[in-house]
Amino acid sequence: MKFALIGNPNVGKSLIFNQLTGIGVEISNFPGTTVDLCSGNVCYKKEKFEIIDFPGIYSLDGKSEEEEEVRKYLRNEHVDALIAVLDATHLERNLYLLLQIAEYEIPTVVVLNMIDEAEKQNIHINFAELSDILGCEIIATTATEGKNIGSIIPAALQTASKIKARVPYDRHVEAGIRSLVKLSECSRLEAILTLEGIMQNPELTDTAETISAEIEEEHRMSVYQIMATNRHNEAAKISEEVTSEKGEKKEFRFEKYLTRYFPGIPILALILLSTLMIVFFVGSFLEEMIVSLFEQYAVEPLLAMGLDPLTEQVSFSFVIALQAGLGIAFPFVFVFYILISILEDSGYMTRAAFLADRAMHRIGMHGQALIPMVLGFGCNVPAVMSIRHLSKRERVIASFLITMVPCSARTVIIAGIVAVFVGVPAALSVYLIVFALIALTGIVLTKFTPGEQYGMILEMAPLRMPKAKQTLSRAWLHMKEFIFIAMPILLVSSIVLGLLQYGGIIQAFQDVFAPAMDAALGLPDYASTSLLFGILRKEMAFETLAILAGTADLGSVMTGIQLYVFAVVSVLFVPCISTIAVLYREMGVKIAALVSAYTLTLGLIVGSLIHFIWSYL
Ligand SMILES: Nc1nc2c(ncn2[C@@H]2O[C@H](COP(=O)(O)OP(=O)(O)OP(=O)(O)O)[C@@H](O)[C@H]2O)c(=O)[nH]1
Ligand SMILES: [Mg+2]
């Protein structure tokens, strides 16, 4: 048996999915978190059922890829029951989608989520009446507290039924639907989709076009617009019938200030700055502690053991990789993800995106690409995946800009190398350089990329107190990836590096590249090897630097300006291998190659500029 979770963005589908399946897919207070279909299993009374978590959609009549994907799935695959998740605080908008789902005539259970918020906002919904109108069972839930989640699967199994509520379309449209059905013996759904121009059915299209033309003549509106209006009216009518609001909504006053230029922009700057500061300070405090523990209890005792050179090299590589991973990267990654999770869950992130959008438009930058760019601060990979709903032109621009956004791994480099050994102002200046280059790249690309520019539609996520458990578990989701994917790569490559070093091969490699690196960037010879490793995972540039230098105290082997140049180059130069792979998947080989070549050149040019300017000062 197969069930599917369907609903608007940001209504709690993924949270419910996680609670039902025990799988940890990403949940955040940011519309559009889930972009791929996720599937998982749930056990109920010793039987196993499959559940699908659809990406959030506002309607089934739009042209975005998510809607296309869900529509195709509903029409071509068999789903035993839909679990439609509605947000009780935005009933009308959620019903608009539900009324379209109804037309697919798939057995459905309606989950009315966010009951806690609705109560806080004094929104009261008459469940019995709503269930009567829709003709299916309603389960009222508060997913964050796990309330009533247990009733969902039994309901999907036993009481799921086709929604009986139907949109009464304009009578000309209804007549058109009826004649299409009669003419070609298709279903009502097919007739509707063809009239809307969503489905191309060679048998129907001609007739449908004639009918549409007649209706448009009469109404001076496209059939698509008429039907959308009818649906909106019906959704509004139902929502009004079952909802009663008492008292005033409170939260909204404070909210207004966050999206105004003033004091919105200063607040945004302050929040960004404090986020970086906290990452720098807490991260480096933890780093110092862990690194010195490692030195004292692992590195020194190991060197004192007097092992034979090969064994010593291998075990030294192992220990120093552990130290680099747990001591250097972990503290920064961890603090960073906790903070980002808090910002997202509080709903502030959508406000930041909104503000930044207005500001960015002024310098000719692109609006819609902004949400993915904000995501890019966490990791470029999901950010690139989330540009799928943009137009072709926007996707090309976004591909370049997103891969330049300093992700958490690059924050590790900036924090761990520059903030720790050179100073916090220097670390902030790296961000300034990167942001300036992103803006410049954006302006140039906007000028030269063909295609139209669209505006941005971003729904404000509600302001909410982040929940400790959810924030931690999301930070943990990313940490897990770090520990189980990055750490093993780091350990293995460190040992390989150790062996290569033992065999003198690293030396040979560096002999070839070192002169150029030294001349152009003024970096020591082992830095070129580290930069190369940075392509595997960004923060590995930093970790291998420590490994090859043989110490985590980089300040003792490199000068401040060398560390600064190294950080700038590795932050800018070539996205990591996972980002290149996902770019290739989403955009094709040409864009992936162009982006890599561009960032490589940019990194080397900017690095050598800094080096030369510094030497002349
Ligand atoms: N107060 C409250 N918050 C909730 C409830 N259910 C979910 N949330 C929050 O709503 C936000 C969105 O949850 P998700 O599960 O990511 O939503 P989604 O529907 O999967 O969103 P997309 O993936 O963007 O389509 C998160 O911050 C959740 O903590 C609820 O019942 N009450
Ligand atoms: Mg989701």
Side-chain angles (χ1 to χ4, degrees), residues 8 11 85-87 90-98:
N8 281 186
V11 296
V85 184
L86 311 189
D87 171 353
H90 291 96
L91 190 59
E92 183 180 328
R93 193 192 68 207
N94 285 249
L95 283 173
Y96 181 83
L97 174 67
L98 192 72

Side-chain angles (χ1 to χ4, degrees), residues 13-14 26 33-34 53-54:
K13 295 178 300 301
S14 298
E26 176 132 16
T33 304
T34 310
D53 182 20
F54 280 139

Side-chain angles (χ1 to χ4, degrees), residues 10-73:
N10 219 24
V11 296
K13 295 178 300 301
S14 298
L15 184 57
I16 294 176
F17 177 82
N18 285 359
Q19 288 172 343
L20 292 175
T21 60
I23 296 175
V25 299
E26 176 132 16
I27 299 160
S28 82
N29 187 12
F30 199 94
T33 304
T34 310
V35 287
D36 271 324
L37 295 187
C38 267
S39 137
N41 289 315
V42 56
C43 265
Y44 176 72
K45 293 206 172 150
K46 294 194 184 149
E47 252 189 282
K48 213 162 84 174
F49 305 100
E50 188 184 354
I51 298 199
I52 306 206
D53 182 20
F54 280 139
I57 48 176
Y58 291 108
S59 73
L60 279 166
D61 56 34
K63 300 234 155 42
S64 76
E65 272 185 56
E66 282 94 356
E67 291 179 33
E68 201 87 60
E69 193 175 7
V70 175
R71 202 155 52 216
K72 226 159 89 214
Y73 200 97

Side-chain angles (χ1 to χ4, degrees), residues 318-335:
F318 182 80
V319 168
I320 204 151
L322 267 187
Q323 181 189 30
L326 295 181
I328 299 176
F330 188 83
F332 294 109
V333 176
F334 183 66
V335 177

Side-chain angles (χ1 to χ4, degrees), residues 408-426:
S408 61
R410 285 178 251 197
T411 303
V412 168
I413 298 181
I414 299 171
I417 298 186
V418 185
V420 172
F421 298 109
V422 188
V424 171

